[in-house]
Amino acid sequence: MTMRFLPAVIFLGTFALRWSVEAGKCPRVCSCDSTKLTVACVDKNLTEVPSTIDEITVKLDLKHNNLQVLPRGAFMRTPYLTHLNLQRCNIVKVKEGAFRMLGRVVSLNLAHNKIDILYQESFDGLSSLKELQLDHNRVEEIQPGAFMQLGSLNMLALTHNQLVYIPNMAFQGLQNIKWLRLSHNSINNLAPEAFASLFTLTRLSLDHNELQFFPTQAMTRPREVTRLDLSHNPMIYLGEESISMAKLTHLYLDHMSLQDLSEQALSQAPMLSHLDLSHNQLHYLDPLSGPKKLVSLNLTANPIYCSCYMRPLRNWASRGGVKLLGACAGPPHLSEEPLRAVAAVDMRCRSKGDQLKDEFEEEEEKMPAVSSTPTAKPKGNVKCPVNCDCDIEAQHATCENGGHTKVPRGFPAKTQLLDLRSNRFHDIPANSFPGTSQVISLHLEFCKIHQLAGGAFRGMKSLFYLYLSDNDLTSLDPEAFSGAPELSYLHLEGNRLAQFPGSALRLLPSLFVLHLERNAISKLEPAGLLSSVTPKLRELYLTNNTIRTIARGALDSALLGKLHLDANQLTDVPIDAISNAPNLEELNLSQNRILSVGPDAFKPVSQSLKWLYMDQMNMEKMSQDSLASLGPGLKALTLKGNQLKELPDLSFLTGLEVVDLQDNPLLCDCTLLPLRRWMDNVSLEVGATCGHPPVLKGQKIRNLDLFKSCTSDSSSTSDRKGLVAPAQVKVKKAKLNSVKAPGVKAKPGKNNVKQPKQTKKKPQRKPVAATVTKKKKVITVKTV
């Protein structure tokens, strides 16, 4: 019997011996679980993949390191991996063959890195990969064949990158892809074959991009798509047969700029069941031809006028059992009434209806004219100027880099996007764009323009986007934009404007976003500059000018939500300039020479401010109460690249999601006790290191024992309403001069801080919701 079981005993002994040997192979800075075959080397400042990881490891977590470049064969020693986490590793480049030998990996996380190009063989070897996370990188180019080796991939996430254009066959090789996520990029154009070969794709996310027109041709290629999200794109209307997707069931077109929708727009989407058109500019809607299974039509937050023009839609919805969501915006007696509750008979043009009809038609004239019936495709040659290309179906025309010295004429009447960039026009005279009343987007970048005559864009009543970037403009004629009342996005960055062009902007009542980066503006005045000139402005970009002074109230605006003043010559926080900007959410003051920030510096915008950037300002002092008025609404605070030795009180900023203190020479003594307590009491991962004194340089604040000898009284080194008191800082340093190294107890001596006896307090319990019902927030705080 003993001999019978001897082989099993030998096997178990050998297995146990092997694991005892293998346990020694765990990299020194990592945590290894031999039972689950997992290795975690998180936040260890690694610059390369450890070479001593056990080859039978199946899950490897390397997030929060400093790998920068993944070389060829980076994971040759771990061929059995199934899950690999490389997020937040400062990865700039993935070299050809970096993942070879990883034929078993099913999940790869490369999110939150700095990758800008996806090369042809970047993912070679990942033949079993199911999920690839590339979100929050800097990807701006996808080379042909980048995904050829990913035939098993089900989900690809490329959200929050810098993609502008998707070329033909960009995703070739993804034979089993189910969900493609391209949200939060800057995509304004899709090649006709961009999604060709994606025969299994069922879900496509393109929300939060810059698409001005529905990409009809590109969308006909992925024939199995059932869910399409195009919300938050600046589309104004959908023409006939825009959407030709036979299996589409859910379509999201919310939060766009839709002013009109052809009744034939969805005629080629017969399976559509849910259509979201909420948060647009629709005044009415015709019954939709095509969808036979529609059950929900969301028109919430549209200015719907419930007159006789809406009666056909109401009857159509009742007959088809379509649930209408939304409410009437008018007439007054039906205002805010739910659409589903208003009877069709009540939707009428009452007595003296001609007057109402005239008012309604005035609103219609502001919308692009769209025929309600399909038009025949043109035959023969399309009318188009010399050295230009005109696509009458896409309604695009381009003369980019065509050698023109005068604005060409004779474009098709229905042209909506007109691209004239990289020509040499020098000056644009009055009435330079006849016959372009339907143009929505006009590109005039890099055209050497130094003068715009009054009425240069006269007749462009549909113009919504105007790009005048990187020209030679030094000033603007007060009438330069007359005749373009719908202009909402204006790009003037990269010119030589010496003054804020307020007089010219008065003719743009709909201006929403204004770009004035890289000009020569030195001051902003008088008071009320924005409120009197651009009352609807939401975003103002003044980065990289020479602004030194801003008049009190100059930037007051009821709707302003985003203000970038970085890379200027300000010496104080310009809070007086925005004293009446109740909706300001984002303020960027980085790269100004603001050396100190006083108490309650941001009080006027404390109820709205969510993102505050103050990097690389050589700032030396911040009052303990400088951020006191902001409270839980603040989500992001960056102070990197300054000269701060102490920090303001952060304890009340309970809503923070991003904090960056990199390259600040923090002084590690009792003055940092509030920071240490904050780090201990919040459900955040905070990594902060010392800059001073030299013996503690580079040490993590969380690991220091010196704070045990600090008391609340000893940490109060500054007037709560003033700036840091240097004399008191010196006292703190003297008290701690016996500390030799973190974790080493100081010997008794006259310089040691004696901690008074206290009754032991129960540790404060963190809210259960923070650890159970919420995902853990991750905040990286780095200092040098």
Side-chain angles (χ1 to χ4, degrees), residues 497-539:
L497 296 171
Q499 295 181 342
F500 187 86
S503 58
L505 301 180
R506 292 181 187 276
L507 297 176
L508 301 177
S510 302
L511 192 61
F512 189 85
V513 177
L514 176 59
H515 287 270
L516 284 167
E517 304 98 313
R518 296 182 288 115
N519 276 282
I521 301 170
S522 60
K523 58 183 178 181
L524 297 174
E525 56 183 18
L529 179 66
L530 288 191
S531 58
S532 62
V533 174
T534 55
K536 294 185 179 180
L537 194 68
R538 295 288 183 90
E539 300 178 13

Coordinates of all heavy atoms in Angstrom, one line a residue, residues 497-539:
L497 N -3.9 89.8 -33.8 CA -4.8 90.8 -33.3 C -4.3 91.4 -32.0 O -3.9 90.7 -31.1 CB -6.2 90.1 -33.0 CG -6.9 89.5 -34.2 CD1 -8.1 88.7 -33.7 CD2 -7.4 90.7 -35.1
A498 N -4.3 92.7 -32.0 CA -3.7 93.4 -30.8 C -4.8 93.8 -29.8 O -4.4 94.1 -28.7 CB -3.0 94.7 -31.3
Q499 N -6.0 93.7 -30.2 CA -7.1 94.1 -29.3 C -8.2 93.0 -29.4 O -8.4 92.4 -30.5 CB -7.7 95.4 -29.6 CG -6.7 96.6 -29.4 CD -7.4 97.9 -29.7 OE1 -8.4 98.0 -30.4 NE2 -6.8 99.0 -29.2
F500 N -9.0 92.9 -28.4 CA -10.2 92.1 -28.4 C -11.2 92.6 -29.4 O -11.5 93.8 -29.3 CB -10.8 92.0 -27.0 CG -12.0 91.0 -26.9 CD1 -11.7 89.7 -26.6 CD2 -13.3 91.4 -27.1 CE1 -12.7 88.8 -26.5 CE2 -14.3 90.5 -27.0 CZ -14.0 89.2 -26.7
P501 N -11.6 91.9 -30.4 CA -12.4 92.4 -31.5 C -13.8 92.6 -31.2 O -14.7 92.1 -31.9 CB -12.2 91.4 -32.6 CG -12.0 90.1 -31.9 CD -11.3 90.4 -30.6
G502 N -14.1 93.4 -30.1 CA -15.5 93.5 -29.6 C -16.4 94.1 -30.6 O -17.6 93.7 -30.8
S503 N -16.0 95.2 -31.3 CA -16.9 95.9 -32.2 C -17.4 94.9 -33.4 O -18.6 95.0 -33.8 CB -16.3 97.1 -32.8 OG -15.1 96.7 -33.5
A504 N -16.5 94.1 -33.8 CA -16.9 93.1 -34.9 C -17.8 92.0 -34.4 O -18.7 91.5 -35.1 CB -15.7 92.5 -35.6
L505 N -17.7 91.7 -33.1 CA -18.5 90.6 -32.6 C -19.9 91.0 -32.2 O -20.7 90.1 -32.0 CB -17.8 90.0 -31.3 CG -16.3 89.5 -31.5 CD1 -15.8 89.0 -30.2 CD2 -16.3 88.4 -32.6
R506 N -20.2 92.3 -32.2 CA -21.5 92.7 -31.9 C -22.5 92.2 -32.9 O -23.7 92.2 -32.6 CB -21.5 94.2 -31.8 CG -20.7 94.8 -30.6 CD -20.8 96.3 -30.6 NE -20.0 96.9 -29.6 CZ -20.3 97.0 -28.3 NH1 -21.5 96.7 -27.9 NH2 -19.4 97.6 -27.5
L507 N -22.1 91.9 -34.1 CA -23.0 91.5 -35.1 C -23.3 90.0 -35.1 O -23.9 89.4 -36.0 CB -22.5 91.9 -36.5 CG -22.3 93.4 -36.7 CD1 -21.7 93.7 -38.1 CD2 -23.7 94.1 -36.6
L508 N -22.7 89.3 -34.0 CA -22.9 87.8 -33.9 C -23.7 87.5 -32.7 O -23.1 87.1 -31.7 CB -21.5 87.2 -33.9 CG -20.6 87.4 -35.1 CD1 -19.3 86.8 -34.9 CD2 -21.3 86.9 -36.4
P509 N -25.0 87.6 -32.7 CA -25.8 87.4 -31.5 C -25.8 86.0 -31.1 O -26.2 85.7 -29.9 CB -27.2 87.9 -32.0 CG -27.2 87.7 -33.5 CD -25.8 88.0 -33.9
S510 N -25.4 85.0 -32.0 CA -25.5 83.6 -31.6 C -24.1 83.0 -31.3 O -24.0 81.8 -31.1 CB -26.1 82.8 -32.8 OG -27.4 83.3 -33.1
L511 N -23.1 83.9 -31.1 CA -21.7 83.4 -30.9 C -21.7 82.6 -29.6 O -22.1 83.0 -28.5 CB -20.7 84.5 -30.8 CG -19.3 84.1 -30.9 CD1 -18.9 83.4 -32.2 CD2 -18.4 85.4 -30.7
F512 N -21.2 81.3 -29.8 CA -21.2 80.4 -28.7 C -19.8 80.0 -28.2 O -19.5 80.0 -27.0 CB -21.9 79.1 -29.2 CG -22.1 78.0 -28.2 CD1 -23.3 78.1 -27.4 CD2 -21.2 77.0 -28.0 CE1 -23.5 77.1 -26.4 CE2 -21.5 76.0 -27.0 CZ -22.6 76.1 -26.2
V513 N -18.8 79.9 -29.1 CA -17.4 79.6 -28.8 C -16.5 80.5 -29.6 O -16.7 80.6 -30.8 CB -17.1 78.1 -29.2 CG1 -15.6 77.8 -28.9 CG2 -18.0 77.1 -28.3
L514 N -15.6 81.1 -28.9 CA -14.6 82.0 -29.5 C -13.2 81.6 -29.2 O -12.8 81.6 -28.0 CB -14.9 83.5 -29.0 CG -14.0 84.6 -29.5 CD1 -14.0 84.6 -31.0 CD2 -14.3 85.9 -28.9
H515 N -12.4 81.4 -30.3 CA -11.0 81.1 -30.1 C -10.1 82.2 -30.5 O -10.1 82.7 -31.7 CB -10.6 79.9 -31.0 CG -11.2 78.6 -30.5 ND1 -10.5 77.7 -29.6 CD2 -12.4 77.9 -30.7 CE1 -11.2 76.7 -29.3 NE2 -12.4 76.8 -30.0
L516 N -9.3 82.7 -29.5 CA -8.4 83.9 -29.8 C -7.0 83.5 -29.3 O -6.2 84.4 -29.0 CB -8.9 85.1 -29.1 CG -10.1 85.8 -29.8 CD1 -10.7 86.8 -28.8 CD2 -9.7 86.5 -31.1
E517 N -6.7 82.2 -29.3 CA -5.3 81.9 -28.8 C -4.3 82.4 -29.8 O -4.5 82.6 -31.0 CB -5.2 80.3 -28.7 CG -6.2 79.7 -27.8 CD -7.4 79.1 -28.6 OE1 -7.9 79.8 -29.5 OE2 -7.7 77.9 -28.3
R518 N -3.0 82.5 -29.3 CA -1.9 82.9 -30.1 C -2.1 84.2 -30.9 O -1.8 84.3 -32.1 CB -1.5 81.7 -31.0 CG -1.1 80.5 -30.3 CD -0.7 79.4 -31.2 NE -1.8 78.8 -31.9 CZ -2.0 78.8 -33.2 NH1 -1.2 79.5 -34.0 NH2 -3.1 78.3 -33.8
N519 N -2.5 85.2 -30.2 CA -2.6 86.6 -30.8 C -1.7 87.5 -30.0 O -0.8 87.0 -29.2 CB -4.1 87.0 -30.8 CG -4.8 86.5 -32.1 OD1 -4.6 87.0 -33.2 ND2 -5.6 85.5 -31.9
A520 N -1.9 88.8 -30.1 CA -1.1 89.8 -29.4 C -1.9 90.7 -28.5 O -1.6 91.9 -28.3 CB -0.3 90.6 -30.4
I521 N -3.0 90.2 -27.9 CA -3.9 91.0 -27.1 C -3.2 91.2 -25.7 O -2.8 90.2 -25.1 CB -5.2 90.3 -26.9 CG1 -5.9 90.1 -28.3 CG2 -6.2 91.0 -26.0 CD1 -7.1 89.2 -28.2
S522 N -3.1 92.5 -25.3 CA -2.4 92.8 -24.1 C -3.3 93.2 -22.9 O -2.9 93.2 -21.8 CB -1.4 93.9 -24.3 OG -2.0 95.1 -24.8
K523 N -4.6 93.6 -23.2 CA -5.5 94.0 -22.2 C -6.9 93.7 -22.6 O -7.2 93.6 -23.8 CB -5.3 95.4 -21.8 CG -5.5 96.4 -23.0 CD -5.2 97.8 -22.5 CE -5.3 98.8 -23.7 NZ -5.0 100.2 -23.3
L524 N -7.8 93.6 -21.6 CA -9.2 93.4 -21.8 C -10.0 94.4 -21.1 O -10.0 94.5 -19.8 CB -9.6 92.0 -21.3 CG -9.0 90.8 -22.0 CD1 -9.4 89.5 -21.4 CD2 -9.4 90.7 -23.5
E525 N -10.6 95.3 -21.8 CA -11.4 96.4 -21.2 C -12.4 96.9 -22.3 O -12.2 96.5 -23.5 CB -10.5 97.5 -20.7 CG -9.6 98.1 -21.8 CD -8.7 99.2 -21.3 OE1 -8.5 99.3 -20.1 OE2 -8.2 100.0 -22.1
P526 N -13.4 97.6 -22.0 CA -13.8 98.1 -20.6 C -14.6 97.1 -19.9 O -14.7 95.9 -20.3 CB -14.6 99.3 -21.0 CG -15.3 98.8 -22.2 CD -14.3 98.0 -23.0
A527 N -15.1 97.5 -18.7 CA -16.0 96.6 -17.9 C -17.2 96.3 -18.8 O -17.7 97.0 -19.6 CB -16.5 97.4 -16.6
G528 N -17.7 95.0 -18.6 CA -18.9 94.6 -19.3 C -18.6 94.2 -20.8 O -19.5 94.2 -21.6
L529 N -17.3 94.0 -21.0 CA -16.9 93.7 -22.4 C -17.7 92.5 -23.0 O -18.2 92.6 -24.1 CB -15.4 93.3 -22.4 CG -14.8 93.0 -23.8 CD1 -14.8 94.2 -24.7 CD2 -13.3 92.5 -23.6
L530 N -17.8 91.4 -22.3 CA -18.4 90.2 -22.9 C -20.0 90.4 -22.8 O -20.7 90.1 -23.8 CB -18.0 89.0 -22.1 CG -16.6 88.4 -22.3 CD1 -16.5 87.0 -21.7 CD2 -16.3 88.4 -23.8
S531 N -20.5 90.8 -21.7 CA -21.9 90.9 -21.6 C -22.6 91.8 -22.6 O -23.7 91.6 -23.0 CB -22.3 91.3 -20.1 OG -21.7 92.6 -19.9
S532 N -21.9 92.8 -23.0 CA -22.5 93.8 -24.0 C -22.2 93.4 -25.4 O -22.9 93.8 -26.3 CB -21.9 95.2 -23.7 OG -20.5 95.2 -23.9
V533 N -21.2 92.5 -25.6 CA -20.8 92.2 -27.0 C -21.3 90.8 -27.4 O -21.9 90.6 -28.5 CB -19.3 92.3 -27.1 CG1 -18.8 91.8 -28.5 CG2 -18.8 93.7 -26.9
T534 N -21.0 89.8 -26.6 CA -21.4 88.4 -26.9 C -22.2 87.8 -25.7 O -21.7 87.0 -25.0 CB -20.1 87.6 -27.1 OG1 -19.3 87.7 -26.0 CG2 -19.4 88.1 -28.4
P535 N -23.4 88.2 -25.6 CA -24.2 87.7 -24.4 C -24.4 86.2 -24.3 O -24.7 85.7 -23.2 CB -25.5 88.5 -24.5 CG -25.6 88.8 -26.0 CD -24.2 89.0 -26.5
K536 N -24.3 85.5 -25.4 CA -24.6 84.0 -25.4 C -23.3 83.2 -25.4 O -23.3 82.0 -25.5 CB -25.4 83.6 -26.6 CG -26.8 84.2 -26.6 CD -27.6 83.6 -27.7 CE -29.1 84.2 -27.7 NZ -29.9 83.6 -28.8
L537 N -22.1 83.9 -25.2 CA -20.8 83.2 -25.3 C -20.7 82.2 -24.2 O -20.9 82.5 -23.0 CB -19.7 84.2 -25.3 CG -18.3 83.6 -25.7 CD1 -18.3 83.3 -27.1 CD2 -17.2 84.6 -25.4
R538 N -20.3 80.9 -24.5 CA -20.1 79.9 -23.5 C -18.7 79.6 -23.2 O -18.3 79.2 -22.1 CB -20.9 78.6 -23.9 CG -22.4 78.7 -24.0 CD -23.0 78.8 -22.7 NE -24.5 78.9 -22.8 CZ -25.2 77.8 -22.8 NH1 -24.7 76.6 -22.7 NH2 -26.6 77.9 -22.8
E539 N -17.8 79.7 -24.3 CA -16.4 79.3 -24.2 C -15.5 80.4 -24.8 O -15.8 80.8 -25.9 CB -16.2 77.9 -24.8 CG -17.0 76.8 -24.2 CD -16.7 75.5 -24.9 OE1 -15.8 75.4 -25.7 OE2 -17.5 74.5 -24.7

